Every structure is written in structure tokens, then in C-alpha cells.
Amino acid sequence: MTFFFKIIIFTTPLLLVLWADGVYSDKKCAARKIEDRSVVCVCNVTYCDEITRERPADGSYIAYTTSKAGSRFLKSSGELETCDSDDLFTTVLTLDPDTKYQTIEGFGGALTDSAAINWKNLSDPQLMQYLIDSYFSSSGLEYNVVRVPIGGTDFSTHGYAYNEEPVNDAELTHFNLTSEDYDLKIPMLKEILKASTASIHVLATTWSPPPWMKSNNAFVGQSYLLPQYYRTYALYYLKFIEMYTKLGVPIWGITTTNEPINGVTGSGQVNSLGWLAADMGKWIVEDLGPLIRNSTFKDIKILCVDDQRPLLLYFFNAMVKEHPESLKYIDGVAVHFYLDALVGPEVFTVITNNYPDKFIMATEGCAGAVLSFGKRVQLGSWERATEYIKDILEDLNYNLVGWIDWNLDLDEYGGPSYTNGNVDSPIIVLPDSGEFIKQPTFYVMGHFSKFLPRGSKRIAVEESIPLSSKSIENVAFVTPDSTTVVVLYNSESREREVKVKLKDQQATLTLEPESMSTIEINA
Ligand SMILES: *[C@@H]1O[C@H](CO)[C@@H](O)[C@H](O)[C@H]1NC(C)=O
Ligand SMILES: *[C@@H]1O[C@H](CO)[C@@H](O)[C@H](O)[C@H]1NC(C)=O
Ligand SMILES: *[C@@H]1O[C@H](CO)[C@@H](O)[C@H](O)[C@H]1NC(C)=O
Ligand SMILES: *[C@@H]1O[C@H](CO)[C@@H](O)[C@H](O)[C@H]1NC(C)=O
């Protein structure tokens, strides 16, 4: 039923006819090969690739593959067979749908000022629509989470916050949004809400409040919140939530401040506010928590930490130790991607085991950030695709409920960023050529976001590998539509044969060299 419903609403009569004939309604990637790298897919005013998620018929599966060699959501399908006995040469993944773990909240990206500036700069309405649809519609990645900055970030054209004037205005009597909200972010959000198939959960985060609330009276650098403005900073969040809601963009959740350690160390050119863990606990317990939970918006999710993995456990534990009551207000813990290489994912297990009612979500990550020492934008980089693949697989296998990418789109230099913090993005806009480009990372995001709708539950997988082969990294879920979805990564430069077993049925697949595949099974 759901399937018919979607077809009728979202596709043209032409596609309906094609579908009735059993032909998939996908539009292929318009591939452009980049030097010695993988391909990018080019969208222009008349053409943009599309991908449809089809429900496999009973007793069959549909597989989608993206590879270094250039496949992008390449579709294949097959019948399930009765399980046979295993041999020594085939990798076998045995799924156990009765052992369940976390429930998916969602996948998405950040609507920074820069993302909206670049989107608007495409100028052509059809091209702008293609970009929105590529991420949010049923013909795209079906993202269902958007992270929205409260005021400016390093991906803005200047440093700013709301109610910068009058200074020392504890009641925020002049709080208003700015032209970045009215002319850029909200118009783009409205288009996103229109195009999306799922309900969009907006996660809002402050990088820096107005300088007068801070010890250094500036946006960037070492700082802390002046004690007389603890309540004011909580009010700053509430006023933002009220205004966005009034303008038709309801807020699902907030994080307690972006990367608080940036403001403690003073390193890096990023708008920030420094927090020691104990002070943050105090602010949550005395100001933010009571204000939000006593408001019309009492059901908003409050996510704490919102900083790099190596700091997560230390910060969370210190906060809870000093202010155990903070647990009463916190729904989850937010983590960023950039220093994941320094600390294993076991830190997540500690939180999950000690606080089973708190969820963990990856709220920011991208390729080409300062620490990667590469070019900020690398068109067609498969290496950067693998950074995403490995990190998302790892996070999901350690009970994270979602993964939010950084800027939805950037220009060819990885900006604009007024602090010159340029990075890479899954979509690069080229307004001069009337095009935007989908990087390999775009498809990686889709291999998860499109096939793991909100409510999907992770299930156990047991892998048996032939001698002298590497693991085929994997994760598996049951979806709310009662299908089983397995995401696989073949890191080897040779084909791999894999059997996926589900109860007494199996699918046998050949994985392309250096590829990822999503397999949806209807057993
Ligand atoms: C747009 O892309 C399509 C597919 O690659 C191509 O056939 C067409 O010529 C392009 N149009 C323009 C104006 O570049
Ligand atoms: C906020 O700014 C907008 C756009 O400049 C303006 O229309 C509106 O009246 C302002 N609201 C308040 C409460 O000042
Ligand atoms: C509501 O505010 C009161 C007074 O500040 C506070 O004692 C109470 O804990 C708050 N309620 C919640 C649910 O936080
Ligand atoms: C829009 O794109 C053009 C062409 O690439 C560029 O020169 C210009 O700086 C861009 N404008 C903004 C506001 O980014």
C-alpha cells in the first residue's frame, strides 16, 4: 500500500507506466571522470540523476552498489534461495533478526549560511530544486534530519549572533533573526520541508552567543559564559525556537553549544563558547533544563557535549559527576567526527551501558577539514568516500542512532568560510557552469539514509571469513516496512563473493572491488 501511495504522489504519469512495465524509474549518474580519481555525477538545468527505493517482491532482494570504478546506486535484484551449506571460499553473513539494538533517528546534513548561499547562487529554479530533491525527496537520499546553526558559524560570511545590540541586554529585548535566516536558511528549509518524504527533524545549535555574554567579548578564541548571563543564554535558545516555530519550521532538538572545547583551548578559527564540563552541568540544571521543560517546547530533545569523540566520555562523566541532576534534562549525547582516529568507538559502549536511556548521535563530520592536510575540496575522491563509509559503519555498530553530515553544499573552494576554514562537501556547486556536482561521499550518505528510515532497528550479524580475506564490514537493520537492510563495504581491490543468510533463506552476491552495497531483503 505504501508503495502505491508513493508512486502516485511523487512520480510523473510516464514513470508510472514504466513502473507498471517493471522497468526501474532511475535516472543514471551523468558521470564525469576526475583525473586518477573516481567519478562525480553532474547535475545541470536539464538533467540530474535519481534513485528510487523499490520494495523487493516477497522472497527476493534488491541490491544497490557504489564503487571506486564508477557505479552509483547500480541496481540488481535476485531471488532468495534456500540456505545451502557453507564452503571455505565464501564469506557468510548470518543475520539474527531476533537480537535487536538501537533504533534509527535519522541521517542528514547541516544547513549553514554557506550551504544556503551556494544553493541560492545556482539561480536557476530547476537546478535549485534538483539540489533539494537530491537530498530530501523520494527520488533522492531521503534525508530526514537537518542541523541548523543558531546564528553564525565559520561557514558564514561574517561573525554574528542575535541581539548583539543593545549590549548587556539580559532580557534579550531586541532578539530578532537576521537576513541569513529570513533570506537564506528559512527559504531553503521551506523547500526542504516541501520536498521531503519523511518528517524532517531540525536540530539547532549555537556556535557563539553575542560577544557581550562572553568573557572575551569576541566570536572566536578562548572564552567562557559570564555568570550573570547563564539564564540569558538559555533564553537565547528559547527565543530562537519560538521564532523558527512561528515561521513554520518546528525544532526537534538542540545541542548545548557546538564544540565547547574550542572555546576552552582558544585554538582554531571557529565561532565558539568555551565550557568546562562542571559549568555546563550547572547551566543545564539551573537554567536551560528548567526553562525548556517549563515551556511550550518541553518535548524538545536536549543533546549534550556536541564535541569530538576523544573528549566525549571525559566531558560527559565530569558533567554528570558534578551535576547528576543534568541527567533529568538530557535526552542524548552528540559527537563529532574529526578526531575519531584517535579513540576507538568503545567509549560509546560505556555511555550506552551506564545510561541506557540516553541516545548517541553523530552530529557533524566532513572530509578535507584542517587535520586531514589535504586539498579542501577533492573532486571524485574515493579515499574520502571510504572515510565516510568506515566511520558511519563503525558508529552504527556502536549503537549510534544517526549521522549528520556538515555543510549540505559548498562552492568549488569549499566555502564560503569567513575564517578560511574551508572543507569538502558531498555537493559542490559550480554556478558559472550552471551545474552542481555530487561527490562519491554523497552516494555513501545515501546508502544509509535512503534505506534506513527512522524507526529501523539494528540487528545482530555474524560473519565468517575465508582464510586470508579481510572482513566485509557490515551493518544490518530491520526497517519499519518489515524488510531487512544490510550495508556492506568491500575494501579489497578484488571481487568478493558473499552469502547473506536470514533464517532459512539466503542471497548470494558478488561485490565489486572497492565498493559499498546496500541490500534490501524481503524474506
Ligand atoms: C546537461 O546534462 C545532460 C546529461 O549529461 C547533457 O546531455 C546536456 O547536454 C547538459 N546540458 C547542458 C546545458 O550542459
Ligand atoms: C525582525 O526582523 C524582521 C525582518 O527585518 C522584521 O520584519 C520584524 O518586524 C522584526 N521583528 C521584531 C520582533 O523586531
Ligand atoms: C519549572 O520551573 C520551576 C521553577 O523554576 C522548577 O522548580 C521546576 O523544576 C521546573 N520544571 C521542570 C520540569 O524543569
Ligand atoms: C556565486 O557564484 C559566482 C560564480 O561562481 C561567484 O563568482 C560568486 O562569488 C558567488 N556568489 C556568492 C554570494 O557566493
Side-chain angles (χ1 to χ4, degrees):
M1 269 324 283
T2 337
F3 183 56
F4 271 101
F5 190 62
K6 273 194 184 170
I7 287 287
I8 288 159
I9 293 195
F10 294 107
T11 65
T12 62
L14 174 68
L15 293 180
L16 189 59
V17 171
L18 289 176
W19 175 79
D21 285 341
V23 179
Y24 295 139
S25 55
D26 298 355
K27 281 166 72 185
K28 299 240 162 334
C29 159
R32 182 177 293 165
K33 178 86 172 99
I34 306 293
E35 300 143 32
D36 51 351
R37 304 207 194 108
S38 191
V39 303
V40 295
C41 304
V42 183
C43 294
N44 63 25
V45 297
T46 58
Y47 191 90
C48 194
D49 56 303
E50 293 181 354
I51 176 70
T52 312
R53 177 181 168 208
E54 317 258 347
R55 186 184 171 83
D58 283 355
S60 72
Y61 67 86
I62 300 179
Y64 306 78
T65 293
T66 293
S67 68
K68 185 180 183 184
S71 297
R72 296 292 179 265
F73 287 142
L74 185 70
K75 252 182 198 176
S76 61
S77 58
E79 301 290 315
L80 299 174
E81 311 138 11
T82 308
C83 281
D84 56 15
S85 57
D86 301 340
D87 57 52
L88 290 171
F89 313 103
T90 312
T91 301
V92 180
L93 298 172
T94 306
L95 312 186
D96 173 10
D98 299 324
T99 305
K100 293 199 172 69
Y101 304 97
Q102 83 274 24
T103 303
I104 287 296
E105 175 53 48
F107 296 86
L111 206 178
T112 57
D113 294 345
S114 301
I117 288 166
N118 291 323
W119 172 68
K120 213 172 164 183
N121 205 13
L122 288 172
S123 307
D124 180 88
Q126 179 61 60
L127 196 55
M128 291 166 76
Q129 189 65 48
Y130 276 150
L131 192 150
I132 299 279
D133 287 347
S134 290
Y135 274 128
F136 295 95
S137 80
S138 59
S139 63
L141 305 190
E142 302 188 53
Y143 271 12
N144 56 13
V145 183
V146 179
R147 186 164 179 241
V148 176
I150 300 176
T153 72
D154 41 334
F155 285 85
S156 298
T157 55
H158 61 117
Y160 71 92
Y162 309 122
N163 210 123
E164 280 184 61
E165 296 196 323
V167 298
N168 308 331
D169 178 17
E171 294 303 319
L172 299 176
T173 56
H174 282 59
F175 188 98
N176 198 353
L177 303 173
T178 66
S179 60
E180 281 85 354
D181 300 287
Y182 290 116
D183 303 335
L184 295 168
K185 292 193 283 186
I186 290 173
M188 190 168 175
L189 271 165
K190 288 281 175 70
E191 292 304 320
I192 288 171
L193 295 177
K194 246 190 270 170
S196 68
T197 45
S199 97
I200 295 287
H201 284 180
V202 174
L203 179 65
T205 301
T206 306
W207 268 246
S208 171
W212 55 261
M213 283 193 213
K214 300 165 66 178
S215 58
N216 68 343
N217 198 30
F219 287 109
V220 174
Q222 197 171 27
S223 67
Y224 55 84
L225 186 65
L226 293 173
Q228 65 268 36
Y229 297 128
Y230 270 40
R231 197 189 137 273
T232 305
Y233 187 44
L235 190 60
Y236 188 78
Y237 270 86
L238 187 61
K239 284 189 177 272
F240 176 86
I241 297 165
E242 281 170 352
M243 289 197 107
Y244 259 59
T245 305
K246 212 160 73 190
L247 291 166
V249 182
I251 305 296
W252 166 78
I254 55 176
T255 82
T256 47
T257 298
N258 178 71
E259 298 183 356
I261 301 301
N262 287 342
V264 172
T265 63
S267 65
Q269 291 289 301
V270 178
N271 311 24
S272 55
L273 171 65
W275 280 109
L276 298 176
D279 293 341
M280 172 153 284
K282 179 176 153 64
W283 177 62
I284 291 171
V285 170
E286 293 180 5
D287 301 292
L288 183 72
L291 187 70
I292 298 288
R293 297 297 182 229
N294 271 330
S295 77
T296 326
F297 305 101
K298 61 182 186 334
D299 295 327
I300 275 185
K301 304 288 180 216
I302 301 178
L303 279 68
C304 66
V305 190
D306 208 18
D307 212 322
Q308 315 305 332
R309 190 194 279 180
L311 303 159
L312 195 71
L313 201 52
Y314 159 76
F315 198 95
F316 187 69
N317 282 342
M319 188 182 85
V320 171
K321 181 159 172 273
E322 292 295 322
H323 295 280
E325 259 207 90
S326 58
L327 289 170
K328 200 173 101 185
Y329 298 105
I330 290 161
D331 296 285
V333 181
V335 64
H336 292 191
F337 146 107
Y338 306 100
L339 302 180
D340 282 5
L342 301 183
V343 162
E346 298 76 21
V347 293
F348 299 137
T349 310
V350 179
I351 293 177
T352 307
N353 287 348
N354 292 340
Y355 308 98
D357 62 328
K358 308 300 175 203
F359 64 84
I360 311 173
M361 189 156 181
T363 48
E364 194 187 305
C366 71
V370 179
L371 287 162
S372 77
F373 299 111
K375 257 180 78 180
R376 304 303 174 79
V377 172
Q378 258 178 20
L379 293 184
S381 169
W382 183 254
E383 200 183 318
R384 289 184 173 183
T386 65
E387 286 179 33
Y388 272 55
I389 299 171
K390 289 182 196 169
D391 197 76
I392 300 172
L393 281 173
E394 180 175 85
D395 281 353
L396 293 177
N397 276 311
Y398 279 82
N399 290 319
L400 269 65
V401 300
W403 208 95
I404 310 176
D405 189 33
W406 187 213
N407 301 276
L408 284 170
D409 59 285
L410 290 173
D411 67 21
E412 61 183 311
Y413 310 106
S417 162
Y418 86 103
T419 61
N420 297 316
N422 300 34
V423 296
D424 213 334
S425 170
I427 288 187
I428 300 297
V429 301
L430 302 173
D432 281 342
S433 340
E435 296 172 343
F436 65 82
I437 271 174
K438 295 176 180 171
Q439 295 266 48
T441 48
F442 173 89
Y443 298 89
V444 173
M445 288 302 298
H447 272 276
F448 297 97
S449 64
K450 191 170 180 74
F451 305 97
L452 302 176
R454 183 171 298 137
S456 297
K457 282 187 197 301
R458 184 165 69 89
I459 59 172
V461 183
E462 198 187 285
E463 184 186 22
S464 93
I465 323 168
L467 281 174
S468 79
S469 285
K470 283 194 199 164
S471 162
I472 292 177
E473 289 173 49
N474 62 76
V475 73
F477 289 81
V478 289
T479 70
D481 322 313
S482 303
T483 57
T484 304
V485 169
V486 191
V487 184
L488 303 176
Y489 171 47
N490 176 17
S491 61
E492 293 196 52
S493 52
R494 61 181 174 107
E495 279 187 355
R496 288 284 296 274
E497 184 105 331
V498 62
K499 262 193 244 174
V500 178
K501 295 194 165 185
L502 181 56
K503 307 256 166 161
D504 56 349
Q505 291 183 294
Q506 69 179 30
T508 307
L509 298 114
T510 305
L511 305 179
E512 275 188 53
E514 297 186 76
S515 69
M516 85 180 292
S517 300
T518 298
I519 299 140
E520 183 160 23
I521 302 170
N522 184 359

